[in-house]
């Protein structure tokens, strides 16, 4: 039962092969048995899950249908869930029970999903290894000594280990696509504004976007259908009609123009990954796509620009955690300053503190023009590069990451080495574009992802290309041994 995709579960439930309650019990038992190996969950919500499963079964018995009615999922632990701990993997919020549901959580619940729990992640979504969590590092089911990627590493590891079919995630600089690549999953980061950010604990508000990790593009389409849409509670949510993503999966790729940026194949890229990316290009050519070399000349400036803008926004967003209103408060504060200092000093982990300091520095009066303003200018150049490229091509294709998943601990003492691994993913966030990573092969037994980028609101095109690729390849069907 645990090998089924969301699409297969929907068919099984519709054909009364099993009930949502039965499936939920099987998966909860599997999580309890196997999760200690990978640490992908922060909280299990068994009671809620069984209640939602029974309600979904009752709705089906009353003649209701729906692709997600009775489907078990989990939420990354930065989506607010009413009455349930929402920790953002931080000691700061270990005792925080959200008073309301995030829009994404509410929309998916209304569609009939069953919440099995809250998944582990990098603290406040800052990282690319899921090793900075207050609840301990997440492990990659493909090799337990390696990271699963981050920050949505718990969602990715859980789905890869077949503990559940799909999970929500967020992507500020790659946190959906990179863990999807490291664990052999399909991960979709929608256009900025496509999915509501209301009720998501903010990291960098102008970059954060919610999406999903699943095994197939078909499943990502099912999830996005109910996640997307205008939300008056989010001032950056865009009022744009939501197309039928599942109906668009079968479009022909005949004549589709795929751009491959020459800058993607520089010195930092593992040559074995380059080869797998070329194989995926050949596969898409067989399906009728036309390949064109393109250029994204400002790509080299993306990492420095991102690592100014993201920390700057984080330093502002995280100022709300002051020991007074939310979460952790230090013991016996001597006065108000001591309360602020010690609550924040004890509640935040070291990577979060580093980012707050970098961000506050970049925003300070004396350095604002030199760093923050400059970074915003680079951001515009990067967006302009994409706009020019999308005049010539329909999709941009390349590697999701320059290297496969590294060993746990390998980059812990050198944050810049980890930042450099984000080179292919962060440009989509800086420009606000949708992106998808899908399985493209293996290097030393570790999964490799190919990334597709599309113009604004063309999530349907990404899902269509990925689905056609997955109908003709079997990388995405591979399962890690032991799971
Ligand atoms: N690795 C990037 C960072 O640390 C991206 C994280 C994310 O997308 N949440 O900021």
């Amino acid at each position: 039962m645990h090998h089924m995709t969301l699409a297969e579960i929907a068919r099984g439930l519709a054909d009364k092969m099993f009930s949502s309650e039965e499936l939920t019990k099987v998966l909860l038992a599997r999580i309890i048995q196997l999760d200690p190996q990978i640490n992908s969950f922060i909280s299990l919500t068994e009671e809620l899950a069984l209640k939602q499963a029974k309600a979904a079964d009752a709705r089906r018995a009353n003649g209701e249908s729906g692709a997600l009615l009775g489907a078990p999922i989990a939420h990354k632990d930065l989506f607010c869930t009413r009455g349930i701990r929402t920790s953002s993997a931080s000691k700061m919020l270990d005792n925080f029970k959200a008073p309301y549901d995030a829009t994404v959580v509410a929309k998916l619940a209304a569609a009939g999903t069953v919440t099995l729990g809250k998944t582990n992640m990098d603290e406040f979504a800052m990282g690319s290894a899921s090793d900075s969590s207050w609840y301990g590092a997440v492990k990659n089911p493909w090799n337990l000594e390696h990271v699963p990627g981050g920050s949505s590493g718990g969602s990715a590891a859980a789905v890869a280990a077949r503990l559940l079919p799909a999970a929500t995630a967020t992507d500020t600089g790659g946190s959906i696509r990179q863990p999807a690549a490291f664990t052999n999953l399909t991960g979709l980061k929608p256009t900025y504004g496509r999915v509501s950010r209301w009720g998501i604990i903010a990291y960098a508000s102008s970059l954060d976007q919610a999406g999903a990790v699943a095994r197939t593009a078909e499943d990502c389409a099912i999830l996005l259908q109910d996640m997307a849409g205008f939300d008056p509670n989010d001032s950056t949510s865009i009022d744009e009609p939501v197309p039928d993503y599942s109906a668009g999966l079968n479009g022909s790729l005949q004549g589709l123009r795929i751009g491959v940026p020459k800058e993607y194949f520089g010195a930092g890229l593992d040559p074995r990954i380059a080869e797998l990316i070329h194989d995926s290009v050949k596969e898409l050519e067989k399906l009728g796509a036309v390949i064109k070399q393109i250029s994204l000349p400002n790509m080299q400036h993306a990492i420095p620009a991102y690592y100014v803008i993201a920390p700057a926004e984080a330093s502002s967003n995280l100022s709300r955690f002051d020991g007074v209103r939310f979460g952790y408060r230090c013991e016996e504060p001597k006065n108000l300053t001591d309360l602020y200092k010690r609550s924040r000093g004890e509640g935040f982990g070291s990577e979060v503190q580093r980012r707050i300091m970098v961000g506050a520095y970049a925003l300070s009066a004396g350095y604002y023009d030199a760093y923050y303003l400059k970074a915003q200018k680079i951001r515009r150049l990067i967006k302009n590069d994409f706009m020019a490229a999308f005049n010539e091509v329909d999709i941009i294709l390349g590697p999701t990451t320059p290297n496969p998943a590294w060993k746990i601990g390998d980059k812990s003492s050198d944050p810049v080495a980890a930042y450099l691994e984000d080179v292919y993913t962060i440009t989509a966030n800086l420009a606000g574009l949708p992106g998808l990573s899908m399985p493209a092969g293996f290097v030393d037994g570790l999964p490799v992802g190919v990334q597709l980028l599309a113009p604004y609101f063309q999530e349907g095109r990404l899902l269509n290309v990925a689905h056609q690729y997955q109908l003709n390849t079997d990388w995405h069907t591979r399962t890690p041994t032991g799971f």
Side-chain angles (χ1 to χ4, degrees), residues 128 148-150 173-183 264-265 268-274 277 398-406 418 420-425 436-438 443 446-451:
S128 29
S175 281
I176 291 176
R177 292 159 287 156
Q178 186 253 22
F182 280 7
T183 58
Y264 279 11
F265 295 85
L269 177 64
D270 182 328
R272 299 167 301 174
I273 292 187
I277 300 307
T400 308
T401 63
N403 294 293
W406 54 90
L420 291 173
E421 297 291 319
D422 296 337
V423 61
Y424 298 119
T425 50
L436 176 148
S437 178
M438 60 181 183
V443 162
L446 291 164
V448 167
V450 56
Q451 174 176 246

Side-chain angles (χ1 to χ4, degrees), residues 125-128 151 170-175 203 306-307 355 422:
M126 297 172 188
S128 29
S151 63
T170 58
D171 190 311
T172 303
S175 281
Y203 162 15
Y306 173 89
Y307 278 100
R355 302 225 185 174
D422 296 337

Side-chain angles (χ1 to χ4, degrees), residues 70 84 93 101 103 145 170 182-183 190 195 219 242 245 248-249 262 295 304 315 335 366 371 390 393 434 465 468 470:
I84 295 166
L93 289 178
D101 280 331
T103 298
E145 288 180 3
T170 58
F182 280 7
T183 58
V195 174
D219 280 6
V242 180
Y245 294 114
L249 291 174
K262 60 172 195 273
S295 174
S315 77
N335 52 42
Y371 296 111
F390 283 128
V393 297
V465 176
Q468 293 305 309
Q470 291 179 339

